[in-house]
Amino acid sequence: MQEATFLILTALADGSQHGYGIITEVRHISEGRVKLRAGTLYTALDRLRADGLIGVDREEIVEGRLRRYYRLTPDGTAVLAEEAARLHANATAALRRLNPGLAGGTA
Amino acid sequence: MSEQVALERSYRRILAWYPQSFRAGSEDEILAVLLATAEDGQTRVGLAEAWDLVRGAVRMRLWPAAPRPRSVRVAVKLMLAGAAAELAALITVIATLGSVRAAVAARDATAMQAVHLHQVTIIALAPVAIGMWLWLAWANGRGQDWARPLSAACFGLISLSVIAGLAQGAAAFAPATMIAAAVVWTLGLSSVALILTPAAGRYYRPQPAQQ
């Protein structure tokens, strides 16, 4: 899973968001490191919707423009949980090898 | 405000590159996000932004996100198997070229010309057939609507060649190639049947503004 995809799913993990909301959430989650652009975001959303990992929560018209809110589907939640566990395990292994003395203590 | 109109127009020019199915449902939405992330006073699309949008358009066109139904996935695999079967037949014919000729010459020299023609035909046509199988597998996998009639037409050609082979009595002197032909014909029949199912039909003609 690409990092952008992982962060988009993470942005939706605790509630629905619209496109712009996802961009700001992703920037916040990655501590300013990942600045999603609209093209990348919508290519990813298109694919995630087709794969059934996200769905449309609701639509609103704000200042004459369509605002669509996305949410995780149960499949999306499962895939995100699995990927997070995998990354967590990898990161734990890396830290354990870098700091043998701290093994187990902080993980 | 005129700045925003100019900016919106230049965004729309790039969004025109996206597939119609995406634009119908999401153009205004992505435009709103683009305008929300634009700098104050920005009137033109930035280079990095334009690159990101064009890349997204190319990706959506080359790898449409619509999930392939199972029937199409299986049909694509069968078509790849068809290419592999043709390749196996080609290799077999080339490898046994001499021994088959020797056997036929020893048994019935009058059949030599038919055998020669048969071998030359396979060696000449197999690469074309392999190419067609691969091309159709790719096109069907992408949901190109023209790929379905073309696949059906190719299956018709395979059927004709099998009938012609039978009529020439190829079964008598080249049972192995007739078995290969039967395998290829079966792969053709099943893959064409799969891409003509109603479930596959929806993949080839995706509904605009799909949910």
Side-chain angles (χ1 to χ4, degrees):
Chain A
M1 184 185 290
Q2 292 192 341
E3 187 180 24
T5 309
F6 179 77
L7 291 173
I8 290 169
L9 293 178
T10 304
L12 298 174
D14 60 355
S16 65
Q17 293 282 350
H18 59 286
Y20 185 67
I22 294 174
I23 291 179
T24 52
E25 280 296 303
V26 164
R27 188 179 310 168
H28 177 70
I29 295 164
S30 67
E31 295 174 340
R33 197 169 44 78
V34 177
K35 295 188 175 102
L36 276 185
R37 291 185 182 278
T40 307
L41 173 66
Y42 278 88
T43 314
L45 291 179
D46 190 48
R47 188 149 300 259
L48 290 169
R49 271 170 83 177
D51 291 345
L53 301 188
I54 65 171
V56 174
D57 189 48
R58 64 186 189 280
E59 294 177 347
E60 289 173 3
I61 303 291
V62 179
E63 292 167 14
R65 293 201 188 278
L66 174 74
R67 186 175 277 185
R68 196 173 272 151
Y69 286 78
Y70 299 93
R71 57 167 168 71
L72 286 186
T73 62
D75 271 0
T77 307
V79 166
L80 177 62
E82 204 172 290
E83 183 69 4
R86 196 183 66 82
L87 291 173
H88 183 72
N90 282 354
T92 306
L95 290 173
R96 194 181 300 131
R97 285 174 182 230
L98 285 168
N99 308 301
L102 301 175
T106 54
Chain B
M1 195 59 204
S2 69
E3 284 172 354
Q4 177 144 12
V5 171
L7 183 59
E8 177 171 335
R9 196 174 306 142
S10 67
Y11 279 135
R12 281 201 194 272
R13 262 201 297 274
I14 300 187
L15 291 174
W17 291 41
Y18 280 76
Q20 186 56 42
S21 57
F22 172 78
R23 290 170 62 199
S26 302
E27 177 163 349
D28 285 353
E29 187 191 346
I30 188 171
L31 186 69
V33 171
L34 286 165
L35 292 173
T37 50
E39 309 278 336
D40 284 342
Q42 185 180 339
T43 55
R44 299 180 60 180
V45 181
L47 202 61
E49 244 178 345
W51 166 243
D52 179 67
L53 286 171
V54 169
R55 206 174 46 170
V58 169
R59 196 170 292 175
M60 275 192 205
R61 283 189 180 276
L62 286 187
W63 298 282
R68 289 182 200 174
R70 215 178 114 76
S71 54
V72 175
R73 284 206 308 272
V74 175
V76 167
K77 281 189 189 135
L78 290 176
M79 289 181 186
L80 294 176
E86 300 272 5
L87 182 65
L90 176 64
I91 290 171
T92 310
V93 167
I94 291 176
T96 60
L97 209 56
S99 58
V100 167
R101 281 160 172 266
V104 171
R107 211 170 53 196
D108 178 10
T110 56
M112 204 54 203
Q113 204 178 356
V115 170
H116 180 72
L117 183 69
H118 184 76
Q119 288 176 330
V120 168
T121 311
I122 289 184
I123 292 172
L125 290 184
V128 178
I130 293 170
M132 284 299 287
W133 279 108
L134 293 176
W135 186 45
L136 287 172
W138 173 81
N140 280 295
R142 284 196 49 203
Q144 299 284 359
D145 205 25
W146 50 261
R148 291 198 297 165
L150 189 59
S151 305
C154 286
F155 172 65
L157 277 180
I158 293 174
S159 306
L160 284 180
S161 74
V162 170
I163 292 168
L166 286 173
Q168 283 170 10
F173 62 77
T177 55
M178 285 317 288
I179 292 171
V183 169
V184 166
W185 185 81
T186 311
L187 287 170
L189 175 68
S190 34
S191 57
V192 166
L194 282 168
I195 57 176
L196 292 177
T197 56
R202 281 191 290 279
Y203 175 65
Y204 286 86
R205 289 196 202 83
Q207 304 298 314
Q210 59 201 351
Q211 180 85 357

